[in-house]
Amino acid sequence: MTDSKYFTTTKKGEIFELKNELNSDKKEKKKEAVKKVIASMTVGKDVSALFPDVVNCMQTDNLELKKLVYLYLMNYAKSQPDMAIMAVNTFVKDCEDTNPLIRALAVRTMGCIRVDKITEYLCEPLRKCLKDEDPYVRKTAAVCVAKLHDINAQLVEDQGFLDQLRELLSDSNPMVVANAVAALSEISDTSPSPAAQMEMNQQTINKLLAALNECTEWGQIFILDALSNYVPKDDREAQSICERVTPRLAHSNAGVVLSAVKVLMKGMEYVGMESEFVTTLQKKLAPPLVTLLSSEPEVQYVALRNINLIVQKRPDILKHEMKVFFVKYNDPIYVKLEKLDIMIRLATQENIAQVLAELKEYATEVDVDFVRKSVRAIGRCAIKVEQAAERCVSTLLDLIQTKVNYVVQEAIVVIKDIFRKYPNKYESIISTLCENLESLDEPDARASMIWIVGEYAERIDNADELLESFLEGFHDESTQVQLQLLTAIVKLFLKKPTETQELVQQVLSLATQDSDNPDLRDRGYIYWRLLSTDPAAAKEVVLAEKPLISSETDRLEPTLLDELICYIASLASVYHKPPSAFVEGQALVVRKTQLPVRSASGEPGATGATESPVPQQAQPVQQQQSVIPSHDTAMGDLLGDLLSMDLNPPQQQMSMTPAPQQDMGGMDLLGGGLDSLLGGPSPVAGMPASQASMGGGLGDILGLGISSTTYVPPKQVWLPAPKAKGLEVSGTFSIRQNVRYMDLTLKNNAMAPMGDFAIQFNKNSFGLSPASALQVPSPLSPGQTADVTLPLGTNGPVQKMDPLMNLQVAMKNNIDVFYFSCLIPIHLLFTEDGQMDRKVFLATWKDIPDSNEVQKEIANPNQLDPKGISDKLQQSFIFTIAQRNVDGRDMLYQSLKLTNGIWVLAELKIQPRSPTMTLSLKTRALDVIPQVQQAYELIIANM
């Protein structure tokens, strides 16, 4: 008889009976009773009253009974923590049992009991199990460390378990290595502590690659995920890793294959783009991806979502595999739609005939949604492959002749887009479209047809009659159709003014007087005033040349795509969203997930508009002070934060944080000789510190504030015109009269005027935000350039960025919302109250650990004297606290303060007539040091 009998009883007084059975002297009766307890617990009955009786059953040699008791303990220990302590001695004893299964079971159960009182007793047994002679016990103990870290992270770090886990990476047993990697990865992902980060170096990587071949499939996935987070030091190492991971592509498990693909996709980014190695690797990637499509539909869908990302990044991988993505009759709809999307991405001039024949076949299917998508796909192919546009239009006309209502309507919607892509090329088919006017009942199709009639009114003899037929039911139409009809009739009037005056008056009256839709009313009034005051201007505006539509509108934004490539084989690659967009409940530690920036030559690691990522293990980390206040949420993605734009932000006050109160002990700065800093005149000529830091009030009115002729970097193109439908944005940052500004140059390279400009910043490392609305002369005519100054505040939302100084910006105009990013020069964030008192400077320098001091040789191209350097740096709010001469070298001691209250102390050693100087920086926030060093170099080089 099976164990199902334990789930069928519904007797009253059952708890009492079970209590007696649990205390029975007969072992078999005890085991039966525990099984009944577990069965009751499984179906939701409360059997916590039996806790002491079940615990008493732990003292047994029977492995089956022990497992059942441990299962009960895991479930009820949290509600009975005091009783759970009773079991500790047995756990400790079992951890030293001769049977490795019992040792592993004991340590696993102790790790699963999430009770603080028990965790302290777990440390010693866990330490022994991590060094156990049996690999099964060691691999179980490795996972237990991750569970214990989740309960009490500090305890794990203090007890040295993380170091023991790292030692297990060198274990002789591959499964122990895999579990150690899994545990360290889990800890790294959930803990912001520097000590908890998984250190990856060449030696560790070689150990992981050696263990890879002998692990179970899940062990391989853990190791491959860890390998994907490693940044190779050079091209050669990247190739070596890729070669050793390539055999995993032949694995039967889809998870292993996709994890291997992720490692190879990232590895290729570190090898030259024209390299023969990359070409060979791309050929090897195609067969395993194709094989994944012969799995069950659910696995196919996950594979297709990942392939969609891979094709966007590297279309050459699957360019010869188009037939694999042809839809099968028995594919579920979600697989069909994904295949359709990939077919369009792979469509080229060489295979377009094949693709069109397939899509035409799909358009006769019975599934309406799939048919619509297929018709739309034909339109996307026409826009993507210009040489095939005529064939696509011919295919669409054939579909229109079928007279199937939803096919006709979808075809008209896509033909409108084709007209926009190829103006004055296919207008001969308009008469065929007009024949189907009566059958259109969907808003998209009606709006598209109205747009076509209005745009080509001069070629349609009865255009006024066609538009008038739509006007009869104007108030019953959707807003989309009403707006399109209004614009089309105004276009018609401007092209045929004598014949359509009555029609335009009728539609303007309906839009302005009889409508309660504000969008429709506003557009109606604008047209009315344009037509009544300046018809010539109206013609220029309404009949302006339209920008051509792009075939890339359905592609993911490049930075998002690079991030998602790093998350292949995870849920993020299925959602096509970064984890921060859907992971909730606990702080998400964002790992380095950006592919390396490439220069124009295609070499990885070159400096571009944003900084190349630094290997994670090489980043300086510290616990003393963080650059950015900690947040419970991860970095929000750009689209999520910026689409909810508040386009008129309130005026913000500049942040003015008082200098911190610090211990004023007069201690020696570097262990002797610098006490002379405490005497003598202040180096800032005639200006006390309190006055030097004055940032408002009477000081500003009388002109006593610090001079703000700070270094201004030359303008750079932040948003090229091709990416913003003709709008080019160049810019830089500056400080004038102690106010920070973003200086922008906007150029309209499009054929139509632009207006309604607005701007918003995403959360950033220093809370930079617009302090007023963007004031752009409107309209910005074609070819016109406008210089705009945007004042900035520093009280906006804060979120640590990567790179640290990255600023993500959304700019809106009447055409669309555009996104770009730029790097904030850190000297923009130096404050005018950054001059530290000399005593405080001494105390602070000594207080900051020596490990936080970073030295660098910087250029002094103009070989300026100390006074010239000091004066120039002070203009950028880097203040000299004291100066002295040691062994013929001048030493400047300086301080600066950032807008978020972080202080940086500096020592500048200047050798007379030398082209270089030594800069030593000390701060509790090491993240800012590279940027401050760069600021020194830029300011001094531009003196």
Side-chain angles (χ1 to χ4, degrees), residues 247-304:
R248 299 300 100 210
L249 294 173
H251 203 282
S252 59
N253 183 288
V256 175
V257 173
L258 284 176
S259 293
V261 168
K262 171 168 61 178
V263 175
L264 297 176
M265 286 293 290
K266 291 188 74 172
M268 283 191 283
E269 295 297 318
Y270 297 99
V271 182
M273 290 186 73
E274 303 304 320
S275 162
E276 188 180 336
F277 177 79
V278 171
T279 310
T280 308
L281 201 53
Q282 288 188 159
K283 288 178 183 174
K284 290 180 180 177
L285 278 171
L289 291 173
V290 169
T291 304
L292 290 177
L293 299 182
S294 58
S295 312
E296 53 270 25
E298 294 80 5
V299 175
Q300 276 190 60
Y301 179 71
V302 171
L304 287 166

Side-chain angles (χ1 to χ4, degrees), residues 184-218:
L184 283 168
S185 299
E186 177 73 19
I187 291 168
S188 297
D189 285 351
T190 55
S191 173
S193 166
Q197 300 310 303
M198 187 172 175
E199 295 172 8
M200 301 284 279
N201 52 42
Q202 196 170 7
Q203 189 180 5
T204 310
I205 291 299
N206 286 331
K207 290 172 186 172
L208 297 186
L209 287 167
L212 189 60
N213 297 326
E214 301 174 47
C215 285
T216 65
E217 51 199 24
W218 295 115

Side-chain angles (χ1 to χ4, degrees), residues 110-144:
M110 285 184 82
C112 291
I113 296 176
R114 304 177 64 83
V115 177
D116 288 336
K117 289 182 179 179
I118 287 188
T119 52
E120 56 194 69
Y121 294 100
L122 172 61
C123 293
E124 215 42 54
L126 180 57
R127 200 186 315 280
K128 289 179 182 175
C129 288
L130 284 167
K131 295 180 179 178
D132 197 280
E133 59 184 20
D134 192 283
Y136 180 74
V137 180
R138 294 199 299 276
K139 84 181 185 71
T140 307
V143 175
C144 189

Side-chain angles (χ1 to χ4, degrees), residues 763-808:
K763 297 175 185 174
N764 55 80
S765 301
F766 292 88
L768 213 60
S769 60
S772 69
L774 186 64
Q775 304 292 334
V776 182
S778 190
L780 190 64
S781 305
Q784 185 181 349
T785 299
D787 289 319
V788 184
T789 296
L790 179 70
L792 305 175
T794 54
N795 292 337
V798 174
Q799 182 71 61
K800 187 171 183 179
M801 300 300 288
D802 181 15
L804 185 68
M805 307 310 295
N806 196 32
L807 176 65
Q808 296 172 328

Side-chain angles (χ1 to χ4, degrees), residues 42 86 98 231 273 327 460 525 709 865 881 898:
T42 306
M86 293 166 52
T98 53
V231 179
M273 290 186 73
V327 170
I460 304 172
Y525 280 126
T709 53
D865 61 7
I881 308 301
L898 299 175

